[in-house]
Amino acid sequence: MIPLQLGPVVLANRVFVAPMAGVTDRPSRRLCRALGAGHAVSEMVTSRRDLWDSLKTSRRANHEGEPGTIAVQIAGTDAAMMAEAAAYNIDRGAQLIDINMGCPAKKVCNKWAGSALMQNEPLALEIAEAVVAVCAPRDVPVTLKWSRSAPRAMCPSRSRCAQAGATRTGTPWRWRAGSRPRASRC
């Protein structure tokens, strides 16, 4: 398989395990890597500092003994809090930060995070810039997941996020009930 380089990080191959709450916990990521995945991203970690000490978040942020590149997905709607969450996770061993801009889960979208960010281009770009500003000096690449149903008008912000230093690595393969999968229009 062909390796993939994201900044200073070289992944063994292009087989990715997407972050999924309740699924991609540490044992699952270890198993996926043992079965050949080149990259496995953690479950989503909130950008809310008041929740970092909760059992749920502390388990998601624990990568002790994990092989391969430590990749953490962060979610939120405030650029400063997202930047702080990136630094928090880097301090705990993250070697790659993924910004959640593709999750269709109602509990995420109802807070205007995840794929709901696709409806606010300036905020999506502000978050990408803030996270990259924290990660770049530490040589930690930033990736994004985009909603497959993002409006065509959002395509320019995708390129702007890339110009800010973020790398688009994929599209999540999960949709809300009642919607149907479709090819990206960008």
Side-chain angles (χ1 to χ4, degrees):
M1 291 209 191
I2 301 169
L4 176 65
Q5 184 155 359
L6 298 171
V9 174
V10 179
L11 304 175
N13 59 53
R14 296 166 187 254
V15 178
F16 283 31
V17 177
M20 294 171 279
V23 177
T24 54
D25 57 8
R26 190 170 24 157
S28 172
R29 291 190 304 270
R30 290 181 72 148
L31 178 62
C32 290
R33 285 193 179 107
L35 294 172
H39 185 57
V41 183
S42 76
E43 298 174 274
M44 178 176 62
V45 175
T46 183
S47 63
R48 288 182 46 194
R49 178 184 261 274
D50 60 316
L51 297 177
W52 290 348
D53 290 329
S54 71
L55 181 61
K56 186 177 183 180
T57 300
S58 64
R59 283 184 177 163
R60 288 180 175 182
N62 182 349
H63 302 281
E64 199 173 295
E66 198 168 326
T69 302
I70 307 296
V72 176
Q73 184 182 77
I74 57 175
T77 58
D78 179 273
M81 287 172 63
M82 290 286 281
E84 189 177 11
Y88 168 82
N89 284 286
I90 292 168
D91 291 345
R92 279 150 191 75
Q95 299 163 296
L96 190 147
I97 296 293
D98 180 73
I99 301 172
N100 181 333
M101 290 190 185
C103 180
K106 285 183 183 180
K107 73 178 190 177
V108 175
C109 290
N110 286 344
K111 305 228 186 295
W112 289 99
S115 62
L117 283 172
M118 296 293 92
Q119 297 176 47
N120 189 338
E121 181 179 9
L123 179 58
L125 182 58
E126 182 184 355
I127 288 171
E129 288 172 342
V131 172
V132 168
V134 166
C135 294
R138 299 173 182 214
D139 244 2
V140 173
V142 176
T143 61
L144 302 162
K145 304 290 184 294
W146 301 101
S147 172
R148 294 180 76 77
S149 59
R152 193 178 220 352
M154 286 303 296
C155 294
S157 73
R158 293 177 183 187
S159 62
R160 286 189 213 125
C161 286
Q163 289 170 358
T167 305
R168 177 176 176 240
T169 61
T171 307
W173 287 94
R174 182 175 163 207
W175 297 271
R176 273 194 188 160
S179 67
R180 52 185 193 105
R182 58 185 163 205
S184 176
R185 294 175 284 170
C186 297

